[in-house]
Amino acid sequence: MISLDNITLGYKSRILLSDADTAFPKATLTSLIGRNGTGKSTLLRAIAGLNPQFTGSILLDGHDLRSLSPARLARTLAFVSTQRTRIPSMRCADAVAMGRAPYTNWIGRMQKEDEEIVMRSLADVGMTDFAQRTLDTMSDGECQRVMIARALAQDTPIILLDEPTSFLDMPSRYDLVDLLGRLAHEQGKCILFSTHELDIATERCDAVAMIDTPRLIHLPAKEFISAGYLSLIFNN
Protein backbone atom coordinates (compact mmCIF):
# COMPACT_ATOMS: atom_id res chain seq x y z
CA MET A 1 0.00 0.00 0.00
CA ILE A 2 2.98 2.30 0.76
CA SER A 3 6.23 1.36 -0.96
CA LEU A 4 9.53 3.14 -0.43
CA ASP A 5 12.10 2.48 -3.13
CA ASN A 6 15.67 3.65 -2.55
CA ILE A 7 14.52 6.68 -0.54
CA THR A 8 17.10 9.19 0.61
CA LEU A 9 15.95 12.31 2.44
CA GLY A 10 17.36 14.87 4.78
CA TYR A 11 16.88 18.15 6.55
CA LYS A 12 19.03 21.07 5.36
CA SER A 13 22.52 19.54 4.94
CA ARG A 14 21.93 16.50 7.14
CA ILE A 15 21.05 13.08 5.69
CA LEU A 16 18.32 11.41 7.76
CA LEU A 17 17.59 8.36 5.61
CA SER A 18 19.71 6.77 2.93
CA ASP A 19 18.64 4.17 0.35
CA ALA A 20 15.60 3.04 2.38
CA ASP A 21 13.53 0.22 0.88
CA THR A 22 10.40 -1.18 2.50
CA ALA A 23 6.65 -1.59 2.09
CA PHE A 24 3.74 -1.02 4.46
CA PRO A 25 0.85 -3.31 3.43
CA LYS A 26 -2.86 -2.68 3.78
CA ALA A 27 -4.81 -3.80 6.86
CA THR A 28 -1.81 -3.15 9.11
CA LEU A 29 -1.01 -0.68 11.88
CA THR A 30 2.65 0.34 11.92
CA SER A 31 4.39 2.57 14.44
CA LEU A 32 7.28 4.78 13.39
CA ILE A 33 9.81 5.35 16.15
CA GLY A 34 13.24 6.89 16.60
CA ARG A 35 15.07 9.43 18.69
CA ASN A 36 14.25 13.13 18.38
CA GLY A 37 15.63 14.61 15.18
CA THR A 38 15.96 11.34 13.29
CA GLY A 39 13.34 12.36 10.74
CA LYS A 40 10.04 10.71 11.66
CA SER A 41 7.96 13.76 10.78
CA THR A 42 10.14 14.43 7.74
CA LEU A 43 9.46 10.94 6.41
CA LEU A 44 5.72 11.18 7.05
CA ARG A 45 5.56 14.54 5.29
CA ALA A 46 7.47 13.11 2.33
CA ILE A 47 5.00 10.22 2.04
CA ALA A 48 2.12 12.70 2.32
CA GLY A 49 3.48 14.76 -0.57
CA LEU A 50 4.32 17.72 1.67
CA ASN A 51 8.09 17.37 1.44
CA PRO A 52 9.37 16.89 -2.11
CA GLN A 53 13.02 16.98 -1.06
CA PHE A 54 13.85 13.31 -1.44
CA THR A 55 15.38 10.98 -3.99
CA GLY A 56 14.01 7.58 -4.95
CA SER A 57 10.32 6.82 -5.37
CA ILE A 58 7.29 6.51 -3.13
CA LEU A 59 4.36 4.43 -4.34
CA LEU A 60 0.91 4.97 -2.82
CA ASP A 61 -1.63 2.28 -3.60
CA GLY A 62 0.51 1.31 -6.59
CA HIS A 63 0.91 4.84 -8.00
CA ASP A 64 4.04 6.98 -7.95
CA LEU A 65 3.53 9.89 -5.56
CA ARG A 66 5.01 12.38 -8.00
CA SER A 67 2.49 11.40 -10.69
CA LEU A 68 -0.59 11.95 -8.53
CA SER A 69 -2.65 15.09 -8.99
CA PRO A 70 -3.69 16.91 -5.78
CA ALA A 71 -7.23 15.59 -6.24
CA ARG A 72 -6.07 11.99 -6.70
CA LEU A 73 -3.67 12.27 -3.75
CA ALA A 74 -6.51 13.55 -1.54
CA ARG A 75 -8.47 10.41 -2.38
CA THR A 76 -5.50 8.17 -1.67
CA LEU A 77 -3.98 9.47 1.56
CA ALA A 78 -5.22 11.30 4.66
CA PHE A 79 -2.78 13.01 7.02
CA VAL A 80 -3.46 13.86 10.68
CA SER A 81 -0.85 16.30 11.96
CA THR A 82 0.27 17.09 15.50
CA GLN A 83 -1.56 20.42 15.42
CA ARG A 84 -4.40 20.64 17.93
CA THR A 85 -7.55 21.97 16.25
CA ARG A 86 -9.49 24.36 18.47
CA ILE A 87 -11.61 26.45 16.10
CA PRO A 88 -14.22 28.31 18.17
CA SER A 89 -17.83 27.54 17.25
CA MET A 90 -16.90 24.82 14.73
CA ARG A 91 -19.04 21.75 15.30
CA CYS A 92 -17.46 18.31 15.25
CA ALA A 93 -19.69 17.25 12.37
CA ASP A 94 -18.50 20.26 10.34
CA ALA A 95 -14.85 19.45 11.05
CA VAL A 96 -15.36 15.85 9.92
CA ALA A 97 -17.25 17.07 6.83
CA MET A 98 -14.05 18.78 5.67
CA GLY A 99 -12.79 15.29 4.86
CA ARG A 100 -15.39 15.08 2.09
CA ALA A 101 -13.85 18.00 0.18
CA PRO A 102 -12.23 15.74 -2.48
CA TYR A 103 -15.67 14.36 -3.38
CA THR A 104 -18.04 17.34 -3.23
CA ASN A 105 -19.08 19.42 -6.24
CA TRP A 106 -17.32 22.60 -7.35
CA ILE A 107 -19.07 24.73 -4.73
CA GLY A 108 -18.39 22.20 -1.98
CA ARG A 109 -22.01 21.24 -1.44
CA MET A 110 -22.58 18.09 0.61
CA GLN A 111 -24.91 15.43 -0.76
CA LYS A 112 -26.92 12.98 1.33
CA GLU A 113 -24.28 10.30 0.82
CA ASP A 114 -21.57 12.67 2.12
CA GLU A 115 -23.62 13.42 5.24
CA GLU A 116 -24.09 9.71 5.86
CA ILE A 117 -20.34 9.13 5.56
CA VAL A 118 -19.67 11.92 8.06
CA MET A 119 -21.99 10.39 10.64
CA ARG A 120 -20.62 6.90 10.00
CA SER A 121 -17.08 8.20 10.50
CA LEU A 122 -18.05 9.78 13.82
CA ALA A 123 -19.66 6.49 14.84
CA ASP A 124 -16.49 4.58 13.91
CA VAL A 125 -14.50 6.58 16.47
CA GLY A 126 -17.25 6.59 19.11
CA MET A 127 -18.09 10.28 18.74
CA THR A 128 -21.68 10.25 17.44
CA ASP A 129 -22.99 11.99 20.55
CA PHE A 130 -20.47 14.81 20.05
CA ALA A 131 -21.56 15.73 16.51
CA GLN A 132 -23.09 19.07 17.57
CA ARG A 133 -20.43 19.92 20.14
CA THR A 134 -17.88 22.58 19.22
CA LEU A 135 -14.18 21.77 19.10
CA ASP A 136 -13.22 24.41 21.66
CA THR A 137 -15.32 22.67 24.34
CA MET A 138 -13.67 19.25 24.00
CA SER A 139 -10.65 17.49 25.47
CA ASP A 140 -7.49 16.71 23.51
CA GLY A 141 -8.47 13.04 23.26
CA GLU A 142 -11.94 13.87 21.98
CA CYS A 143 -10.58 16.31 19.41
CA GLN A 144 -8.03 13.76 18.24
CA ARG A 145 -10.83 11.27 17.61
CA VAL A 146 -12.66 13.91 15.60
CA MET A 147 -9.55 14.48 13.46
CA ILE A 148 -9.33 10.73 12.86
CA ALA A 149 -13.01 10.74 11.91
CA ARG A 150 -12.21 13.49 9.40
CA ALA A 151 -9.51 11.24 7.93
CA LEU A 152 -12.00 8.36 7.74
CA ALA A 153 -14.53 10.60 6.00
CA GLN A 154 -11.86 11.31 3.42
CA ASP A 155 -12.24 7.63 2.50
CA THR A 156 -8.61 6.90 1.67
CA PRO A 157 -6.78 3.55 1.77
CA ILE A 158 -3.84 5.17 3.59
CA ILE A 159 -3.81 7.22 6.81
CA LEU A 160 -0.72 8.87 8.28
CA LEU A 161 -0.64 10.35 11.77
CA ASP A 162 2.15 12.40 13.34
CA GLU A 163 2.39 11.85 17.11
CA PRO A 164 -1.36 11.22 17.60
CA THR A 165 -0.90 10.28 21.28
CA SER A 166 0.82 13.54 22.27
CA PHE A 167 -0.84 15.43 25.11
CA LEU A 168 -3.14 12.51 25.96
CA ASP A 169 -3.25 10.74 29.32
CA MET A 170 -2.09 7.13 29.46
CA PRO A 171 -5.50 5.39 29.17
CA SER A 172 -6.45 7.65 26.26
CA ARG A 173 -3.20 6.80 24.47
CA TYR A 174 -3.91 3.09 24.59
CA ASP A 175 -7.55 3.61 23.62
CA LEU A 176 -6.57 5.70 20.60
CA VAL A 177 -3.99 3.22 19.28
CA ASP A 178 -6.39 0.32 19.82
CA LEU A 179 -8.93 2.29 17.78
CA LEU A 180 -6.38 2.75 14.97
CA GLY A 181 -5.70 -0.98 15.02
CA ARG A 182 -9.38 -1.81 14.67
CA LEU A 183 -9.75 0.62 11.78
CA ALA A 184 -6.75 -0.88 10.01
CA HIS A 185 -7.90 -4.47 10.44
CA GLU A 186 -11.64 -4.03 9.93
CA GLN A 187 -11.50 -1.51 7.08
CA GLY A 188 -8.34 -2.77 5.41
CA LYS A 189 -6.47 0.52 5.72
CA CYS A 190 -2.74 1.04 5.82
CA ILE A 191 -2.11 3.18 8.91
CA LEU A 192 1.32 4.52 9.83
CA PHE A 193 1.90 6.78 12.83
CA SER A 194 4.89 8.25 14.61
CA THR A 195 5.24 7.95 18.36
CA HIS A 196 7.65 8.17 21.28
CA GLU A 197 5.62 5.63 23.27
CA LEU A 198 7.78 2.52 22.94
CA ASP A 199 5.38 0.24 24.85
CA ILE A 200 2.50 1.25 22.60
CA ALA A 201 4.68 0.92 19.49
CA THR A 202 5.74 -2.63 20.28
CA GLU A 203 2.69 -4.01 22.08
CA ARG A 204 -0.25 -2.53 20.17
CA CYS A 205 0.98 -2.50 16.56
CA ASP A 206 1.42 -5.11 13.86
CA ALA A 207 4.83 -3.80 12.87
CA VAL A 208 7.47 -1.31 13.95
CA ALA A 209 9.54 0.92 11.68
CA MET A 210 12.52 2.61 13.32
CA ILE A 211 14.77 5.30 11.91
CA ASP A 212 18.31 4.56 13.05
CA THR A 213 20.00 7.23 10.97
CA PRO A 214 20.64 6.72 8.13
CA ARG A 215 18.82 3.38 7.89
CA LEU A 216 15.18 2.39 8.26
CA ILE A 217 14.47 -0.86 10.12
CA HIS A 218 11.00 -2.30 9.54
CA LEU A 219 9.85 -5.61 11.02
CA PRO A 220 6.79 -7.28 12.56
CA ALA A 221 6.57 -6.12 16.17
CA LYS A 222 7.53 -9.47 17.74
CA GLU A 223 10.52 -9.89 15.43
CA PHE A 224 11.61 -6.32 16.09
CA ILE A 225 11.72 -6.98 19.83
CA SER A 226 13.35 -10.42 19.61
CA ALA A 227 16.07 -9.06 17.30
CA GLY A 228 17.07 -6.56 19.98
CA TYR A 229 16.65 -3.46 17.82
CA LEU A 230 14.87 -1.56 20.59
CA SER A 231 18.16 -1.23 22.46
CA LEU A 232 19.52 0.95 19.64
CA ILE A 233 17.34 3.83 20.83
CA PHE A 234 19.00 3.74 24.25
CA ASN A 235 22.53 3.01 23.06
CA ASN A 236 22.81 5.82 20.50
Side-chain angles (χ1 to χ4, degrees):
M1 192 65 72
I2 301 174
S3 296
L4 307 182
D5 183 12
N6 201 33
I7 292 297
T8 295
L9 60 81
Y11 180 73
K12 295 184 178 180
S13 60
R14 183 186 176 203
I15 297 297
L16 300 173
L17 273 182
S18 179
D19 302 323
D21 290 281
T22 195
F24 304 97
K26 65 179 181 179
T28 58
L29 176 65
T30 303
S31 58
L32 177 62
I33 63 174
R35 296 175 67 91
N36 286 337
T38 54
K40 298 184 297 296
S41 295
T42 303
L43 176 58
L44 289 177
R45 290 179 63 82
I47 296 172
L50 301 173
N51 176 18
Q53 303 303 314
F54 66 88
T55 61
S57 62
I58 298 175
L59 299 182
L60 303 178
D61 203 20
H63 302 279
D64 192 297
L65 170 63
R66 291 190 173 100
S67 72
L68 296 176
S69 66
R72 181 65 180 273
L73 180 59
R75 296 186 181 205
T76 303
L77 181 147
F79 182 57
V80 181
S81 72
T82 55
Q83 184 177 357
R84 293 295 173 263
T85 303
R86 284 287 192 278
I87 302 175
S89 302
M90 174 173 275
R91 300 180 309 156
C92 293
D94 295 332
V96 176
M98 293 173 65
R100 298 303 300 163
Y103 306 93
T104 54
N105 58 29
W106 66 277
I107 59 173
R109 179 171 294 171
M110 295 267 289
Q111 306 298 318
K112 182 178 180 181
E113 179 183 2
D114 297 307
E115 295 171 353
E116 291 173 350
I117 290 173
V118 167
M119 295 310 298
R120 184 165 66 245
S121 299
L122 281 167
D124 285 340
V125 300
M127 296 296 287
T128 301
D129 293 341
F130 291 74
Q132 303 306 314
R133 286 268 301 273
T134 57
L135 294 174
D136 55 328
T137 65
M138 300 169 63
S139 69
D140 284 334
E142 291 165 347
C143 279
Q144 193 70 316
R145 283 179 176 257
V146 171
M147 293 302 103
I148 294 173
R150 184 184 66 179
L152 290 178
Q154 199 171 326
D155 194 21
T156 60
I158 299 169
I159 298 177
L160 306 179
L161 306 98
D162 194 5
E163 298 283 353
T165 59
S166 297
F167 309 112
L168 303 183
D169 58 33
M170 188 60 69
S172 296
R173 294 175 187 179
Y174 279 95
D175 287 345
L176 181 59
V177 175
D178 287 345
L179 166 65
L180 294 176
R182 290 195 301 273
L183 295 173
H185 301 150
E186 294 173 5
Q187 299 188 18
K189 295 182 181 295
C190 171
I191 301 182
L192 173 65
F193 73 100
S194 62
T195 183
H196 286 100
E197 312 290 339
L198 298 183
D199 54 341
I200 287 175
T202 55
E203 296 173 9
R204 291 297 208 272
C205 299
D206 302 303
V208 179
M210 182 176 73
I211 299 179
D212 180 42
T213 303
R215 61 177 176 163
L216 178 66
I217 301 166
H218 178 209
L219 289 169
K222 291 182 180 180
E223 292 182 27
F224 182 88
I225 296 172
S226 62
Y229 283 121
L230 200 58
S231 64
L232 291 174
I233 291 181
F234 301 100
N235 292 337
N236 290 343

